[in-house]
Amino acid sequence: MATFQKKRERGLLDGQFLIAMPGMFDSNFARTVIFVCAHSSDGAMGFVLNRPQQLTFPDVLLHLQIIDQAEAIRLPPLTRNFQIQTGGPVETGRGFVLHSDDYLSESSIPVSDDICLTATLDIVRAISRGEGPSKAMMMLGYAGWGAGQLESEIASNGWLNCPASEELIFDRDLDDKYDRALALMGVSPATLSMDAGHA
């Protein structure tokens, strides 16, 4: 799997959306939009942006023992409603926070010009205190590909890709995010074919 390094060269698909084609038979990825955070010859890593998660942010804070039950009841609505999503089928017990670059810690990794990834407790604590980034979402798990695997899936018509939209990444409305991602490319779901075509 691809790993992050602080000063790494950007891969070809870094900062791109992957949009699942209708022929995507893997139920983990059917009708998904993925934000690619790392892409290299070693593989790729990203996060599904339109899969809800049943756990709430207070659930996570309680599990990590950052707060107790009495504090959970007193959390302000903005903190209580902080969005958690299912980021992918790999390491589903591990949390990652995708966020704007107005919050940085020693462990924050830039994944595009304006977006960072932090996977340590410091950002969770900061968000719980209302001191986190202005835009953020927490992902449980991630999507990962081995060397050459993602390129092969794109070549076999499994994914479309296009530059990511920060607005769409942090948009809380998950239900039509897939259609809106396609619209960025000027594509309607009804016009997509499951067969690879050649001009």
Side-chain angles (χ1 to χ4, degrees), residues 60 74 94 96 109-110 161 180 188 194 197:
V60 170
R74 294 192 300 268
R94 188 170 171 203
F96 303 85
I109 300 159
N161 67 288
R180 287 182 292 139
S188 160
M194 292 194 291

Side-chain angles (χ1 to χ4, degrees), residues 60-68 71 121 124-125 128:
V60 170
L61 295 177
L62 287 164
H63 176 74
L64 295 172
Q65 299 179 345
I66 291 173
I67 61 171
D68 61 28
E71 291 169 307
L121 285 180
V124 177
R125 289 191 184 98
S128 74

Side-chain angles (χ1 to χ4, degrees), residues 13 18 36 39 44 145-155 159:
L13 295 171
L18 295 176
V36 179
H39 176 233
W145 294 265
Q149 185 182 358
L150 180 56
E151 294 86 341
S152 173
E153 290 179 13
I154 291 172
W159 302 97

Side-chain angles (χ1 to χ4, degrees), residues 38-156:
H39 176 233
S40 71
S41 58
D42 296 330
M45 177 192 189
F47 296 99
V48 175
L49 298 177
N50 59 334
R51 286 277 194 272
Q53 171 60 241
Q54 301 227 336
L55 278 178
T56 66
F57 192 54
D59 291 337
V60 170
L61 295 177
L62 287 164
H63 176 74
L64 295 172
Q65 299 179 345
I66 291 173
I67 61 171
D68 61 28
Q69 198 68 50
E71 291 169 307
I73 294 167
R74 294 192 300 268
L75 284 173
L78 196 64
T79 305
R80 193 169 40 251
N81 297 324
F82 179 69
Q83 192 164 33
I84 300 183
Q85 293 176 209
T86 299
V90 183
E91 291 192 55
T92 55
R94 188 170 171 203
F96 303 85
V97 179
L98 204 55
H99 59 91
S100 50
D101 64 359
D102 54 353
Y103 172 93
L104 291 172
S105 74
E106 294 254 335
S107 56
S108 297
I109 300 159
V111 294
S112 72
D113 291 341
D114 306 308
I115 298 174
C116 296
L117 180 68
T118 304
T120 51
L121 285 180
D122 52 352
I123 193 168
V124 177
R125 289 191 184 98
I127 292 167
S128 74
R129 295 190 304 262
E131 299 167 3
S134 58
K135 297 177 186 172
M137 63 173 49
M138 185 176 203
M139 308 289 189
L140 294 181
Y142 65 92
W145 294 265
Q149 185 182 358
L150 180 56
E151 294 86 341
S152 173
E153 290 179 13
I154 291 172
S156 62

